[in-house]
Amino acid sequence: IRRPPRATLLPYTTPFRSNGGKGPNDPALADPLNDLATVYLRIGRFEDARKLVDRAQSLLNPAVHWQALVLARVETNKAWRAYAWGETGLADKWFSDARDLLQKNDAADSLDMAEVLNDLGLVMEDGNDAIQAQGRRLLYRAWELRRQLAGDLSPECEESLSNLGMNLLFHGDSPDDLQLAIASLHKALDVAQKLWGPDHPETAMALANVAMADQMLQQTDKAADEIRQALPITTKAFGPLSLDRPSELQVLGTILQSQEKFPEAEAAFKEAVTIKESV
């Protein structure tokens, strides 16, 4: 399931700078423009995000050290938009460009690098077995970096646990992988609840992931309870046309289908389609 990136503002790796008051052409504008683009991506305003990212990119000179680090962030959002639209080839290229910028400018052990490695790992889920294995190694490396730099109880680690869990759930090779997937997703939910509480959209996302796993394990009643907790939280936070809702509705529809509640399943799937078409 492709989801837009989270609007988590990481600690800046460089101080906020200005090159002498250049007005609308000041490179220092790129950071706040990119932050606003992150929010727009999270709420599904993709065209608004694209305009901001393009403007931010036009202000930056990759030959200037601090601007290159900011440009890596901009390239990451540019790639996220492509990934959300299913354009994995472009996403892979731009995530790779961001990684190369960070490596070239001595930011290899940073939260920004961890983010890019995580994102490259996600993109590689669409490849063959060898590429998927490489992607999983990147997801693990991103998790290790995030644990080291942000700690286990952090939004970054919660995201990594969710991504690793989903990767193992759908691309695992053994029963042990399945058990590790379940443990990772439940740990992510536990971290989300501790960070944000029970009524936050990030907690709802973690609940939806756990519900999907429980449905695959044929724990239908448990999965139904979890997804029904998630849906109203997401709707309250983002509104009825949030792009988080179709994936949650698909989980609900699958559960209802397995329970042979076909009219209710049809309604859930139809609503998911309507939201995707609208957004």
Side-chain angles (χ1 to χ4, degrees):
I1 294 177
R2 290 185 172 85
R3 299 178 186 269
R6 301 164 185 226
T8 302
L9 302 182
L10 300 178
Y12 287 108
T13 53
T14 55
F16 184 79
R17 306 199 186 191
S18 177
N19 282 0
K22 293 185 177 180
N25 296 318
D26 191 336
L29 288 172
D31 243 340
L33 286 168
N34 193 54
D35 287 341
L36 183 55
T38 303
V39 176
Y40 284 166
L41 286 169
R42 187 67 178 88
I43 60 177
R45 291 173 59 177
F46 293 111
E47 182 59 20
D48 290 332
R50 182 193 65 78
K51 292 176 182 177
L52 291 171
V53 167
D54 287 350
R55 183 182 170 200
Q57 186 173 16
S58 72
L59 299 175
L60 295 167
N61 179 359
V64 178
H65 180 264
W66 74 268
Q67 292 184 38
L69 295 176
V70 177
L71 182 58
R73 292 172 176 235
V74 174
E75 291 278 2
T76 300
N77 267 350
K78 186 176 175 182
W80 257 116
R81 181 181 178 276
Y83 182 66
W85 280 74
E87 297 173 342
T88 53
L90 283 175
D92 180 74
K93 178 187 182 305
W94 291 330
F95 284 137
S96 297
D97 289 347
R99 177 201 57 201
D100 294 345
L101 279 168
L102 292 171
Q103 288 176 335
K104 184 177 179 180
N105 289 274
D106 302 320
D109 290 332
S110 65
L111 286 174
D112 286 335
M113 178 60 81
E115 168 71 17
V116 170
L117 295 177
N118 172 80
D119 299 340
L120 281 168
L122 293 176
V123 170
M124 290 180 180
E125 288 182 343
D126 289 346
N128 58 33
D129 289 347
I131 292 173
Q132 288 176 12
Q134 182 183 356
R136 189 176 305 162
R137 288 192 292 271
L138 288 175
L139 291 175
Y140 273 114
R141 177 57 182 149
W143 176 55
E144 290 171 344
L145 265 180
R146 286 169 157 178
R147 293 186 72 192
Q148 173 188 337
L149 298 171
D152 285 312
L153 194 63
S154 65
E156 293 81 16
C157 271
E158 189 272 324
E159 183 181 44
S160 276
L161 286 166
S162 292
N163 291 337
L164 281 166
M166 296 297 276
N167 182 287
L168 289 163
L169 189 67
F170 287 102
H171 305 295
D173 300 320
S174 68
D176 286 344
D177 283 347
L178 178 60
Q179 292 305 312
L180 185 56
I182 302 301
S184 297
L185 293 174
H186 277 277
K187 179 62 177 176
L189 175 59
D190 179 62
V191 173
Q193 289 172 330
K194 288 177 179 176
L195 284 171
W196 297 296
D199 299 320
H200 193 280
E202 298 298 331
T203 302
M205 186 181 290
L207 273 167
N209 290 340
V210 168
M212 188 182 303
D214 284 338
Q215 168 60 18
M216 291 178 68
L217 293 173
Q218 298 183 335
Q219 297 180 8
T220 306
D221 291 341
K222 187 178 178 184
D225 179 64
E226 290 156 348
I227 200 63
R228 286 193 170 102
Q229 289 180 57
L231 274 162
I233 298 170
T234 299
T235 304
K236 182 179 179 181
F238 294 128
L241 294 180
S242 163
L243 278 181
D244 284 13
R245 294 193 73 242
S247 56
E248 294 172 357
L249 287 163
Q250 286 171 250
V251 175
L252 176 62
T254 302
I255 293 167
L256 292 167
Q257 184 178 3
S258 71
Q259 295 173 332
E260 298 190 2
K261 298 178 179 178
F262 298 117
E264 295 94 330
E266 179 188 24
F269 289 136
K270 279 186 171 180
E271 188 176 358
V273 171
T274 298
I275 294 169
K276 289 229 175 188
E277 287 180 334
S278 298
V279 177

